Amino acid sequence: NETPLITGGLRIGNWEVCDQAKNLWCAKGVNMRFRQLYVNGKKAIRSRHPNLEANGGHNFFRLTKVDTLGKAFNVSTSHVSNWDRLDKVEMHVMIAWADAVLRLQKITDFGGYSKIDIQDPEKTMLFNRPYPMLGSTFGDANKEQCYYFENALEFVDTEGEWYLNESNNILYYKPRRNENMSTAVVVVPRLETLVEVVGESTKNKVQNLVFKGLTFAHTNYLRPSEQGFLNLQAGQFNVAAPGGNNYMLWHPHAGFKMVNAQNVLLEENVFSQMAATALDLGSGTNDNRIEGNVFIDIGGTGISVGKFAQDSLTEVHIPYNPEDKDEISTRDTIKNNVVKRVTQEIKGAIGIAGGYPRHVVIEHNEVAYTNYSGISVGFGWTKEKTAMTNNKINWNEIHHVAQLLADAGPIYTLSNQGVNSEIKNNYIHDIAASKWADYWVCPIYLDEGSSGFDVSDNVFVNAPSGVACNWCGDYTESNNNGRDPNTIQNAGIQEKYRHIKDIDDIPIPDLPVELLSSPFAERLAIPGVIEAENFDSGGKYIAYYDEDDENQGGEYRNTGVDIVAISADNFAVGYTQAGEWLKYSVTIKNSGTYKVFANVSSGLDNSGFKLYLDDKTIVDTVIIDNTGGWDTYNELELETVSLSQGDYTLKLEITGSFINIDKIRFENIQSTKVYPLKNNSENGKKRKWFTLKGEFRDYK
């Protein structure tokens, strides 16, 4: 009868009133980065403009024009302002069947309208791709894309909204009625993945594990803040759009990830308050069973199975059908799960999504309250042979889906799905196009290349009915307009698991007020040498940020930071990517002037880094050109800096990728600590003698 909670969250405490007139509260020293915040178990609203409707429903502005030539958006001037920290403000645009998170670069006022320029890389990719379609659809001037702004202090104007100022690390929150910030449990996510079940290879898989009765919660996902987010379809995001109808993509992180795993059972677990995908059976999965679980309040997709592309360098229209058939997700069963209130952050994600699985069974699930399609299987937009065959999507209850975006269906498919695939006895009800959708939503939707299905005996109530075919292949259909009471009664969750339908929240975590980084072994001394690999303990987003969670160098420490060996007892931080950082607890013994040196290597030009002391820049961006290879280290003299005695946090930030950093050395060249020796008089003036770096000097 216990409810164990596995959480990737941290508790923020020490709240104080910072603007009594606005009932605005603040927490200082919040140096983590996150996009979600939960107060007493309820999700708060990342500050936005315009606000949601009073009942929490969707509310947007509409674009005035898409300036394709100028690669910008025109909006009403009344909707924008000269917001502080404009480069951190985001524009969320709903585009047909997908959504985009775009970081602002500049707003130019032209009187009646203003032009919005966005940052790269999302700008170039967005205007390079023809789909999903920007601009008014079918010539309807009243149907320009809808959008909202997010993440500015000026937007915090209604209860439940929050904003993090990343410049001074102050978190702002406007409490809801009856929330006492002195006692409130405020949780933010830190980890992007809680559990990884990863086999060594497709020939040597993890197997025979059981996860039962657990709650998994509070995962982070920061890519939209760092590079924007262009959803191409089904929550899969662009990593390149070179032009024409050509795209490369990848998938968001998942709270629970499985790769090369077989005969794993996940039963009666709860997945909640996750920023991106909840559960991802990524590739090499077979004969796993996902049954009787609850997926609620998820930012992206609830359950994802199979690859959506061979890799991030393969154009997405190339059918996935690898030579190694053990890589294909095969015979996985997704049954009797409740998936509701998902796609809250990635609006174009899916309740249950399949890339290219084969022999997958998706049956007796309840999928509800999504912004795009309920269940989607297939990718690639192709009639050519793919990895898929014998996929079953039967006996599901699907309702209140496609609540925002267009070109959606309760069940949606793409591409050639081989033979003996089925969509049968699904109970589909209470679905209608949103007033914000660019155009229609469909019934069961066999989209481009879909073939191999028998679509029969599906029931539709208060929803579009039948089968929609858009450039689909061969399929059969029958009896998709009836009201069969057997289907209505027996679709969805079966009797054994119906108790999970009552689960609607999770335990509030019993966490300490905050977890801070701490020295790895001991505080590091300045003057002295800071070995790069001796960054603080505390984990990702607290003591360091690394783009992946694996030590690619495999040396010295078991963390996500990549550490390589220089010699048997000397190490360096390597495989670096721009935006990654490390923190070190340091003690400056004496106030004074210091020369800073760095021992580094690089096999490329334009690598680089910066140094901060308590988030204030002390060494600005250092550009490192090719040193002759990553095994060739040079000690470079950087800058001369003035430092004050005391305890600090030193932060090393990578500004240019692919630099190896061995150590940072601080050499004292002038101490301002005075040691009096004697006084004398010269011409009636007092003089004091003291030592300066071990030498005797006199000072007037």
Side-chain angles (χ1 to χ4, degrees):
N1 297 318
E2 292 183 327
T3 53
L5 172 66
I6 299 176
T7 172
L10 296 174
R11 183 176 176 184
I12 305 296
N14 302 316
W15 291 89
E16 59 186 59
V17 176
C18 54
D19 190 326
Q20 190 167 10
K22 295 181 179 179
N23 192 28
L24 204 58
W25 289 66
C26 297
K28 298 178 180 177
V30 181
N31 57 15
M32 295 87 77
R33 299 295 176 253
F34 45 86
R35 297 175 62 85
Q36 295 79 32
L37 182 142
Y38 305 93
V39 181
N40 296 333
K42 184 176 181 180
K43 186 179 181 182
I45 303 164
R46 194 168 184 241
S47 62
R48 57 169 288 161
H49 173 59
N51 292 323
L52 296 169
E53 293 181 346
N55 63 359
H58 292 303
N59 190 30
F60 300 94
F61 296 130
R62 283 200 182 275
L63 298 174
T64 301
K65 178 185 176 182
V66 176
D67 182 358
T68 305
L69 185 63
K71 297 184 177 181
F73 295 111
N74 293 354
V75 302
S76 171
T77 297
S78 63
H79 296 162
V80 297
S81 183
N82 185 26
W83 299 311
D84 187 34
R85 296 181 56 75
L86 184 68
D87 62 333
K88 295 296 183 180
V89 178
E90 299 168 358
M91 187 177 191
H92 293 237
V93 185
M94 309 302 122
I95 312 171
W97 58 81
D99 56 324
V101 179
L102 312 170
R103 299 165 301 154
L104 300 194
Q105 183 178 59
K106 182 174 64 173
I107 300 177
T108 306
D109 188 343
F110 287 94
Y113 75 94
S114 291
K115 187 177 294 293
I116 293 182
D117 289 285
I118 60 178
Q119 297 180 39
D120 269 323
E122 58 265 42
K123 175 180 178 177
T124 298
M125 289 192 294
L126 178 66
F127 287 98
N128 270 0
R129 65 181 198 178
Y131 298 105
M133 307 82 71
L134 281 170
S136 59
T137 307
F138 311 121
D140 185 351
N142 295 318
K143 284 284 189 177
E144 291 283 351
Q145 263 81 45
C146 62
Y147 71 93
Y148 67 96
F149 297 108
E150 192 172 270
N151 198 41
L153 180 58
E154 293 90 335
F155 302 160
V156 182
D157 58 359
T158 192
E159 291 183 1
E161 286 192 315
W162 65 273
Y163 168 74
L164 175 62
N165 186 324
E166 296 181 10
S167 178
N168 58 19
N169 296 320
I170 297 178
L171 176 61
Y172 299 84
Y173 179 62
K174 188 176 178 68
R176 297 182 177 101
R177 203 164 302 171
N178 300 323
E179 286 178 342
N180 181 347
M181 297 310 295
S182 299
T183 58
V185 178
V186 180
V187 176
V188 298
R190 176 172 68 100
L191 300 178
E192 293 194 337
T193 299
L194 292 175
V195 178
E196 286 185 306
V197 179
V198 181
E200 182 181 68
S201 69
T202 59
K203 310 306 178 187
N204 187 14
K205 297 184 178 183
V206 175
Q207 56 187 318
N208 304 329
L209 300 179
V210 176
F211 297 84
K212 185 170 182 176
L214 304 173
T215 297
F216 303 95
H218 308 129
T219 57
N220 206 1
Y221 187 56
L222 290 177
R223 182 185 174 90
S225 297
E226 295 161 351
Q227 300 182 56
F229 187 91
L230 295 186
N231 179 6
L232 181 66
Q233 187 163 337
Q236 313 302 299
F237 61 87
N238 282 121
V239 295
N245 194 25
N246 298 297
Y247 316 98
M248 280 67 117
L249 57 74
W250 205 236
H251 50 266
H253 292 306
F256 195 118
K257 173 184 176 182
M258 293 170 58
V259 174
N260 295 332
Q262 64 185 16
N263 296 318
V264 175
L265 172 64
L266 274 71
E267 185 179 24
E268 297 191 47
N269 304 292
V270 178
F271 298 77
S272 186
Q273 298 183 1
M274 292 180 164
T277 303
L279 172 64
D280 186 5
L281 283 66
S283 69
T285 61
N286 62 271
D287 301 293
N288 301 294
R289 192 172 188 88
I290 314 303
E291 185 160 20
N293 303 281
V294 176
F295 299 81
I296 51 173
D297 298 326
I298 303 297
T301 292
I303 306 170
S304 182
V305 55
K307 280 191 173 183
F308 288 75
Q310 179 61 52
D311 52 48
S312 62
L313 301 176
T314 301
E315 206 282 320
V316 298
H317 293 88
I318 297 174
Y320 172 75
N321 196 10
E323 292 184 7
D324 182 1
K325 302 307 178 186
D326 291 330
E327 181 184 292
I328 305 168
S329 291
T330 304
R331 295 185 306 277
D332 292 320
T333 296
I334 300 169
K335 187 174 182 179
N336 282 306
N337 302 284
V338 171
V339 182
K340 64 181 181 181
R341 298 199 306 272
V342 299
T343 74
Q344 293 188 340
E345 302 280 341
I346 304 171
K347 305 294 196 298
I350 306 290
I352 300 174
Y356 291 89
R358 62 178 181 173
H359 297 275
V360 70
V361 174
I362 302 174
E363 64 182 21
H364 283 291
N365 302 284
E366 180 178 353
V367 180
Y369 301 100
T370 70
N371 287 304
Y372 182 50
S373 296
I375 297 173
S376 175
V377 176
F379 219 66
W381 301 270
T382 181
K383 293 181 180 178
E384 297 180 32
K385 183 179 179 180
T386 72
M388 296 183 288
T389 191
N390 285 271
N391 291 329
K392 316 293 186 185
I393 309 172
N394 301 330
W395 294 102
N396 299 285
E397 180 184 2
I398 306 169
H399 60 96
H400 297 93
V401 298
Q403 292 199 301
L404 174 59
L405 297 172
D407 217 281
I411 298 173
Y412 176 97
T413 67
L414 279 172
S415 298
N416 185 337
Q417 309 222 5
V419 297
N420 299 324
S421 290
E422 297 176 351
I423 302 175
K424 292 183 175 182
N425 296 103
N426 296 283
Y427 174 35
I428 297 165
H429 61 93
D430 296 294
I431 299 170
S434 166
K435 69 178 181 180
W436 300 107
D438 284 3
Y439 50 97
W440 58 75
V441 299
C442 296
I444 291 173
Y445 191 179
L446 307 183
D447 204 358
E448 304 206 15
S450 293
S451 63
F453 282 104
D454 177 11
V455 187
S456 300
D457 302 315
N458 299 284
V459 171
F460 301 85
V461 176
N462 192 29
S465 63
V467 180
C469 167
N470 177 43
W471 197 71
C472 64
D474 296 331
Y475 72 99
T476 60
E477 66 166 309
S478 62
N479 190 31
N480 290 301
N481 292 299
R483 296 287 188 273
D484 180 9
N486 179 58
T487 296
I488 294 175
Q489 181 176 352
N490 293 305
I493 308 299
Q494 293 176 297
E495 181 63 32
K496 177 182 178 181
Y497 294 101
R498 283 185 183 163
H499 63 279
I500 70 174
K501 290 168 65 72
D502 296 328
I503 296 174
D504 203 54
D505 53 25
I506 62 172
I508 296 174
D510 181 16
L511 291 170
V513 166
E514 61 185 65
L515 297 174
L516 302 175
S517 62
S518 58
F520 172 55
E522 59 184 2
R523 297 191 73 89
L524 304 174
I526 295 177
V529 173
I530 310 297
E531 294 284 354
E533 67 272 17
N534 288 337
F535 54 90
D536 281 358
S537 300
K540 192 171 182 179
Y541 305 115
I542 300 297
Y544 69 86
Y545 171 71
D546 194 282
E547 284 199 355
D548 60 53
D549 295 319
E550 178 185 358
N551 180 350
Q552 296 186 59
E555 299 287 348
Y556 192 63
R557 294 176 69 174
N558 184 24
T559 70
V561 177
D562 308 311
I563 300 176
V564 298
I566 300 175
S567 64
D569 57 355
N570 191 18
F571 304 94
V573 171
Y575 296 96
T576 55
Q577 298 290 321
E580 295 178 343
W581 50 262
L582 303 157
K583 289 188 175 180
Y584 306 83
S585 296
V586 300
T587 297
I588 299 174
K589 293 184 175 180
N590 297 318
S591 300
T593 303
Y594 293 80
K595 281 186 178 180
V596 186
F597 302 83
N599 198 44
V600 299
S601 71
S602 180
L604 299 173
D605 291 338
N606 298 315
S607 299
F609 66 93
K610 289 177 68 172
L611 292 177
Y612 304 82
L613 204 62
D614 282 358
D615 290 323
K616 294 181 180 179
T617 301
I618 58 170
V619 175
D620 212 341
T621 301
V622 179
I623 303 298
I624 308 296
D625 288 332
N626 194 325
T627 61
W630 284 286
D631 293 327
T632 303
Y633 287 82
N634 294 333
E635 185 176 69
L636 307 177
E637 182 176 336
L638 306 181
E639 293 186 17
T640 300
V641 297
S642 295
L643 304 177
S644 298
Q645 184 179 20
D647 291 339
Y648 297 91
T649 297
L650 177 71
K651 178 180 176 182
L652 187 159
E653 179 185 7
I654 305 301
T655 56
S657 301
F658 306 117
I659 181 176
N660 285 10
I661 302 180
D662 173 23
K663 63 190 69 175
I664 307 294
R665 182 166 64 88
F666 289 83
E667 179 182 311
N668 185 296
I669 61 171
Q670 180 184 357
S671 172
T672 57
K673 187 169 183 178
V674 174
Y675 301 89
L677 296 178
K678 64 180 181 178
N679 291 323
N680 67 357
S681 295
E682 180 180 347
N683 298 325
K685 295 182 179 180
K686 292 285 188 181
R687 305 182 72 189
K688 180 174 286 187
W689 292 83
F690 63 97
T691 59
L692 185 67
K693 199 185 174 187
E695 300 176 1
F696 291 103
R697 305 281 180 89
D698 62 358
Y699 172 75
K700 290 185 181 180

